[in-house]
Amino acid sequence: MIRTMFARTLFNRTTTSLHLHHSLRCSYSRKMSTETESVVAGIKKAGLFQTKGFIGGKWIDAYDGKTIEVNNPARGDVITSVACMGERETQDAISSAYDAFGHWSKLTAADRSNRLRNWYNSLIEHKEELGQLITLEQGKPLKEAIGEVVYAASFIEFFAEEAKRVYGDIIPSTLPDRRLFVLKQPVGVVGAITPWNFPLAMIARKVGPALACGCTIVIKPSELTPLTALAAAELAHQSGIPPGVLNVVMGDAAKIGTSLVESPQVRKITFTGSTAVGKKLMAGSAETVKKVSLELGGNAPCIIFDDADLEVALKGTLATKFRNTGQTCVCANRVLVQEGIYEKFTSAFSNAVQNLKVGDGFSEGVVQGPLINEAAVLKVESFVQDAVSKGAKVLLGGKRHSLGFTFYEPTVIGDVKNEMLIARQEVFGPVAPVIRFKTEEEAIQIANDTNAGLAAYIFTNSIKRSWRVSEALEYGIVGVNEGLVSTEVAPFGGFKQSGLGREGSKYGLDDYLEIKYVCMGNMA
Ligand code: ADP
């Protein structure tokens, strides 16, 4: 019974199957366990346990006093309740950001850079507490959560440096008495909507470039993981990011999203999440012709050729499939294995997967945490059932873990066909579907036969093949003999329905800048 009540968000990342419902359940309550209490006490002591929205540099309750519970996905206990905000609070956050823009965008780049650098330092200084918050509300193992904090902070550091390199151009004129210039200017107020799978990193990837360029921002974190965002906002405040420059509102996703999209004061929407919501935001942004950046669902192929180094392929596939318990948009969603190496690979891979320790993210040695909620488990179960009913074979796992609740066994399924649901949509769980193929052409055809185009991985020892296949894949990111490719210095983003724009790297600034052409005449 508790399980069903706990299923707060049931949302499919693509447009078909399963239903969309974002009901806000404020009634469910299960008392905090003593373990949760002691972690919370430590975070409170560090001053990082915030539960109100952050608007114009102040901590604010929802205007109607409404709150929404935040649960620990591993246990289902209530961590706390946070302000459950809607249109009015969002409008005020937008106004604060709009007012702050005048001042913030006129600071020198070096000044903005120093403040971002201070924030980077304090994120690193508090990586333990922030990591604990992530494990508490998102479930990933603590070591991985602390890794996320360091990864998130790296975007703030990188863009603190890039802030000083927003160069314009001087264009050779077509007329002798004219001088032509290009200025790069911040777009203005940014609305950022982020998901629960990386509660800090998905925010840092947006706030870093936005603030570096001189934009101000209203962040709406996932209602499932608001606590990490609020703690980061507190540290930003302490680091000298002025009131109104960074605001956080959370609660009713649809109402907040609509307010951000409809406001003429918001000049850009940046979103990471499901393809279905991304399409809605893009359509909504048309009315006020906003800039839009979207990081949407993927359907990553991980292609292992006969000529691959088996050890490298095993390590890479394990890393890309099982990171964050399979809940990332760059997780391998389809493992394509060439027939000559199929038996050897699947047997060694299943052995390796069997050794992954599952449990509460705070327990020693655990590398696979819970799924985010009951709805996620139901989705994984339904995908596995569909595959098995159509002829796929469970090689390992294939059912809920004995720990129950939100835990699912690390699973390998063989003889999967690209037509099965599990190969069409993101499973977003610890399940590796393996597809057998014969030729390179067939692998490329299967890999590209999807509307998504975020990340792809190939394992081969042939240099020629690695180039050929990398170029043929319709994906924004390709890992060659490598399963973990994300870094702040490289562009992250997708082809096709996986999104628009790029995050990270020098390209990550472009989405937050307007290009202005200045023509000076009569200069002779
Ligand atoms: P996921 O499958 O990762 O939960 P979602 O797209 O549902 O993907 O969620 C990503 C973010 O989008 C979250 O912050 C969520 O609250 C928000 N969101 C969900 N529905 C809407 C909506 N209708 N408008 C704006 N934001 C939304």
Side-chain angles (χ1 to χ4, degrees), residues 9 11-13 22 193-197 220-224 251-258 271-278 280-281 428:
T9 307
F11 207 103
N12 191 24
R13 283 188 161 263
H22 267 267
I193 300 175
T194 56
W196 50 263
N197 60 345
K220 191 210 85 62
S222 167
E223 58 279 8
L224 302 178
D252 189 320
K255 283 187 183 158
I256 296 171
T258 305
F271 171 76
T272 300
S274 62
T275 307
V277 172
K280 272 194 210 168
L281 296 173
F428 238 61

Side-chain angles (χ1 to χ4, degrees), residues 410-438:
T411 294
V412 182
I413 305 181
D415 292 325
V416 169
K417 299 280 175 264
N418 208 38
E419 299 72 48
M420 295 174 183
L421 194 55
I422 205 160
R424 306 308 303 166
Q425 299 186 17
E426 277 182 308
V427 65
F428 238 61
V431 179
V434 187
I435 300 175
R436 193 194 297 254
F437 70 90
K438 287 192 170 68

Side-chain angles (χ1 to χ4, degrees), residues 202-431:
M202 295 303 110
I203 290 176
R205 292 213 297 207
K206 294 167 170 51
V207 178
L211 266 53
C213 291
C215 298
T216 56
I217 198 159
V218 178
I219 304 162
K220 191 210 85 62
S222 167
E223 58 279 8
L224 302 178
T225 57
L227 299 172
T228 312
L230 297 172
E234 169 62 28
L235 292 174
H237 183 59
Q238 291 173 16
S239 307
I241 306 294
V245 171
L246 183 159
N247 307 273
V248 184
V249 289
M250 66 271 167
D252 189 320
K255 283 187 183 158
I256 296 171
T258 305
S259 305
L260 288 170
V261 161
E262 289 183 352
S263 168
Q265 288 181 322
V266 174
R267 294 309 318 145
K268 179 186 170 70
I269 293 289
T270 173
F271 171 76
T272 300
S274 62
T275 307
V277 172
K279 286 179 179 177
K280 272 194 210 168
L281 296 173
M282 189 175 174
S285 296
E287 190 56 37
T288 45
V289 193
K290 292 186 198 334
K291 266 184 184 272
V292 180
S293 295
L294 303 171
E295 297 288 356
L296 309 178
N299 183 2
C302 177
I303 312 173
I304 294 130
F305 289 99
D306 284 346
D307 62 9
D309 179 323
L310 186 63
E311 284 307 308
V312 170
L314 283 171
K315 190 166 164 251
T317 309
L318 208 60
T320 170
K321 176 65 248 183
F322 290 96
R323 180 170 168 231
N324 204 11
T325 318
Q327 301 172 108
T328 90
C329 45
V330 292
C331 273
N333 202 52
R334 298 170 289 163
V335 182
L336 277 59
V337 186
Q338 199 161 12
E339 57 183 359
I341 202 177
Y342 185 90
E343 303 301 338
K344 212 166 156 189
F345 179 85
T346 47
S347 130
F349 187 59
S350 300
N351 282 341
V353 174
Q354 196 160 23
N355 290 330
L356 298 174
K357 188 173 171 192
V358 180
D360 186 311
F362 285 109
S363 305
E364 197 54 38
V366 161
V367 291
Q368 292 290 284
L371 294 184
I372 188 68
N373 56 23
E374 175 83 1
V377 183
L378 289 172
K379 178 178 164 182
V380 170
E381 275 185 327
S382 74
F383 279 26
V384 170
Q385 273 160 20
D386 174 80
V388 170
S389 75
K390 290 175 181 154
K393 289 194 184 62
V394 173
L395 302 177
L396 180 78
K399 56 183 190 307
R400 285 181 186 240
H401 196 274
S402 55
L403 287 168
F405 199 43
T406 44
F407 292 93
Y408 196 87
E409 288 185 358
T411 294
V412 182
I413 305 181
D415 292 325
V416 169
K417 299 280 175 264
N418 208 38
E419 299 72 48
M420 295 174 183
L421 194 55
I422 205 160
R424 306 308 303 166
Q425 299 186 17
E426 277 182 308
V427 65
F428 238 61
V431 179

Side-chain angles (χ1 to χ4, degrees), residues 9 55 61 75 77 97 119 124 182 231-232 292 314 324 345 369 393 399 415 442 461 475 522:
T9 307
I55 301 176
D61 281 315
R75 299 167 171 277
D77 50 356
W119 190 23
I124 294 294
V182 172
V292 180
L314 283 171
N324 204 11
F345 179 85
K393 289 194 184 62
K399 56 183 190 307
D415 292 325
E442 186 191 1
N461 269 342
Y475 287 81
N522 294 295

